[in-house]
């Protein structure tokens, strides 16, 4: 078998890395538009929270359609974490077990993931809430990362009882959330992250398509307790595009969801992440894209008139490599169906199949363009 080398100057075009952006959700759906029935009955509602160790106590999987459909696929998970264990029943009623439950496990899990230790707490501005809400996009739904500037998440039921905007503006009935990457002037070459945890993250703010809405005061939240100021939060949460997660400030939302308590009674407890799911349903919009870098090279394969006029089919020659068919000796007619790319060690590294065979003989030349994405 003879191999024809490429001319690097004339036969190869390297376009370099390019970003390919598509929708994160199944079937390339732009807006997930979550509805009430898009969770599993074994997780959501009372049926899915019958035991302190039920999976529904830890998280709720959200699907692209009703779970009874054959097209149902998990899109994301919603979880609630609290570093003192509020919001979920204790695993046991043993002495000293107060606060040892699912919400405490979730908080510790994401603390370890983000900070790589068991000490740091999530802090938003100068306020460190006890609780967080987490949206975890299913790993099969996104490619290399979620696309900065594409997040548009609407949450209904704005906090009113314990959270207000610093500039005195009344919070709207539905919060429109996005990341702040566009406002920060982020580019592929300079992502300009707010921090480096999990490959870099952005701040989740009030706005759309990566841009902050209104004045800076629109994202300065006064956190109140019994009417007293206990902190000021500079944002609603953090967006970690490489990890596919969003960690949201629990105190910025919990006021409108009901007080989160855990009094040690395993039959009386709140379901904050179920309530958060309901607020996403009420908001009606959840858009976020996925992004990957594609390196593209074009190889121009030139089959000149004197080349590639004989087949590699073993039935074409005998054991002594002599042509078996006399009609093929001086005027062979073959068809090109496949192009193989080899490295310098003559090892096959890529194969391109033609959409239809290309006729080849001594009177014909062929130019085949092969695109290699990786």
């Amino acid at each position: 078998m003879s191999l024809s080398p490429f001319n690097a100057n004339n036969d190869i075009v390297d376009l370099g890395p390019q970003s390919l952006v598509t929708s994160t959700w199944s079937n390339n759906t732009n807006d997930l538009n979550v509805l009430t029935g898009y969770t599993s009955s074994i997780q959501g509602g009372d049926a899915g929270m019958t035991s302190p160790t039920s999976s529904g106590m830890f998280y709720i999987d959200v699907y692209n359609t009703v779970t009874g459909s054959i097209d149902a696929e998990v899109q994301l998970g919603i979880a609630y974490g609290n570093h003192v264990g509020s919001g979920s029943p204790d695993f046991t009623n043993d002495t000293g077990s107060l606060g040892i439950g699912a919400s405490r496990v979730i908080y510790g899990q994401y603390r370890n993931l983000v900070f790589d230790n068991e000490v740091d707490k999530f802090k938003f501005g100068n306020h460190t809430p006890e609780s967080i809400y987490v949206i975890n996009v299913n790993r099969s739904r996104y490619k290399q990362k979620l696309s900065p500037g594409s997040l548009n998440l609407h949450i209904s039921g704005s906090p009113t009882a314990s959270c207000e905007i610093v500039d005195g503006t009344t919070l709207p009935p539905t919060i429109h959330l996005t990341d702040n990457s566009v406002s920060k002037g982020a580019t592929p070459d300079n992502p300009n992250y707010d921090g480096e945890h999990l490959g870099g993250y952005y701040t989740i703010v009030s706005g759309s398509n990566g841009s902050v809405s209104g004045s800076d005061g629109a994202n300065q939240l006064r956190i109140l307790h019994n009417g007293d100021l206990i902190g000021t939060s500079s944002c609603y949460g953090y967006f970690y595009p490489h990890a596919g997660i969003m960690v949201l400030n629990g105190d910025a939302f919990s006021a409108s969801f009901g007080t989160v308590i855990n009094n040690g009674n395993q039959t009386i407890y709140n379901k904050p992440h179920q309530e958060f799911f309901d607020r996403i349903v009420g908001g009606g919009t959840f858009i976020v894209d996925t992004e990957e870098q594609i390196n593209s090279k074009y190889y121009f394969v030139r089959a000149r008139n004197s080349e590639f006029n004989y087949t590699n089919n073993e039935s074409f020659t005998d054991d002594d490599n002599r042509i078996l068919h006399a009609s093929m000796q001086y005027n062979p007619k073959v068809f090109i169906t496949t192009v193989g790319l080899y490295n310098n060690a003559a090892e096959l590294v890529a194969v391109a199949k033609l959409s239809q065979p290309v006729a080849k003989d001594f009177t014909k030349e062929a130019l085949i363009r092969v695109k290699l994405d990786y």
Side-chain angles (χ1 to χ4, degrees):
M1 179 181 63
S2 62
L3 300 178
S4 180
F6 287 105
N7 183 308
N9 294 324
N10 298 325
D11 298 337
I12 302 176
V13 176
D14 188 350
L15 295 183
Q18 296 180 321
S19 292
L20 176 64
V21 178
T22 58
S23 177
T24 298
W25 314 127
S26 293
N27 303 317
N28 206 29
T29 301
N30 180 47
D31 188 347
L32 186 57
N33 192 20
V34 180
L35 299 179
T36 303
Y38 288 10
T39 61
S40 171
S41 60
I42 64 172
Q43 283 191 316
D46 294 333
M49 299 183 179
T50 57
S51 166
T53 57
S54 298
S55 65
M57 288 293 183
F58 295 86
Y59 64 91
I60 297 173
D61 281 330
V62 180
Y63 292 75
N64 59 317
T65 184
V66 292
T67 54
S69 169
I70 61 173
D71 297 321
E73 296 178 326
V74 176
Q75 308 296 293
L76 57 95
I78 297 175
Y80 171 82
N82 189 293
H83 75 86
V84 296
S86 295
S88 65
D90 302 329
F91 290 143
T92 72
N93 278 320
D94 297 337
T95 302
S97 67
L98 182 63
I100 310 299
S103 66
R104 188 165 180 171
V105 170
I106 290 295
Y107 191 96
Q109 174 187 351
Y110 284 97
R111 171 169 57 191
N112 288 338
L113 178 64
V114 174
F115 304 117
D116 197 24
N117 65 55
E118 299 180 0
V119 178
D120 290 346
K121 297 177 181 177
F122 289 98
K123 187 174 183 179
F124 306 88
N126 68 356
H127 179 61
T128 305
E130 289 186 352
S131 62
I132 56 172
Y133 292 96
V134 180
I135 298 174
N136 193 332
V137 177
N138 190 277
R139 187 62 188 89
S140 65
R141 298 266 49 88
Y142 67 97
K143 297 180 174 65
Q144 290 177 335
K145 65 176 181 178
L146 299 179
S147 183
S150 68
L151 175 63
N152 287 278
L153 172 61
H154 295 178
I155 306 292
S156 68
S158 304
T160 55
S162 67
C163 187
E164 61 184 34
I165 296 179
V166 169
D167 64 9
T169 305
T170 303
L171 286 168
T174 299
I175 307 172
H176 294 193
L177 300 179
T178 188
D179 63 272
N180 66 340
S181 58
V182 174
S183 292
K184 289 176 61 64
T187 66
D189 294 331
N190 180 23
N192 199 18
Y193 295 119
D194 285 323
E196 298 304 319
H197 295 305
L198 296 182
Y201 66 89
Y202 295 105
T203 299
I204 295 177
V205 295
S206 174
S208 62
N209 300 317
S211 297
V212 178
S213 293
S215 64
D216 291 340
N219 290 286
Q220 295 291 326
L221 306 177
R222 290 162 46 90
I223 309 299
L224 310 175
H225 179 68
N226 294 329
D228 298 324
L229 179 67
I230 61 174
T232 302
S233 173
S234 59
C235 64
Y236 289 92
Y238 300 119
F239 174 58
Y240 301 87
H242 293 278
I245 65 173
M246 298 157 227
V247 178
L248 299 168
N249 179 353
D251 283 350
F253 300 97
S254 291
S256 64
F257 299 170
T259 305
V260 181
I261 61 172
N262 183 353
N263 60 5
N265 186 333
Q266 292 189 321
T267 63
I268 302 176
Y269 52 87
N270 297 93
K271 304 165 187 175
H273 49 310
Q274 175 68 51
E275 183 67 27
F276 194 75
F277 166 77
D278 294 338
R279 301 299 175 170
I280 292 177
V281 172
T285 295
F286 196 165
I287 301 171
V288 64
D289 291 335
T290 178
E291 179 179 333
E292 65 177 331
Q293 265 198 351
I294 298 293
N295 293 278
S296 296
K297 276 189 179 182
Y298 288 92
Y299 293 85
F300 292 88
V301 180
R302 306 177 195 276
R304 305 190 185 280
N305 68 303
S306 61
E307 298 177 310
F308 307 107
N309 293 317
Y310 297 94
T311 179
N312 291 326
N313 192 313
E314 293 181 356
S315 65
F316 192 69
T317 58
D318 60 19
D319 293 339
D320 296 324
N321 205 32
R322 292 176 298 192
I323 296 176
L324 293 174
H325 308 283
S327 62
M328 299 291 288
Q329 290 184 359
Y330 302 107
N331 189 25
K333 289 182 174 61
V334 295
F335 292 89
I336 301 174
T337 60
T338 306
V339 176
L341 301 182
Y342 293 77
N343 60 18
N344 291 334
E347 297 169 331
L348 182 64
V349 295
V351 173
K353 293 286 188 179
L354 276 65
S355 59
Q356 62 184 27
V358 175
K360 183 70 177 69
D361 58 38
F362 282 110
T363 68
K364 296 181 176 68
E365 291 191 347
L367 175 60
I368 301 170
R369 187 184 69 172
V370 177
K371 183 183 180 186
L372 183 62
D373 291 332
Y374 60 95

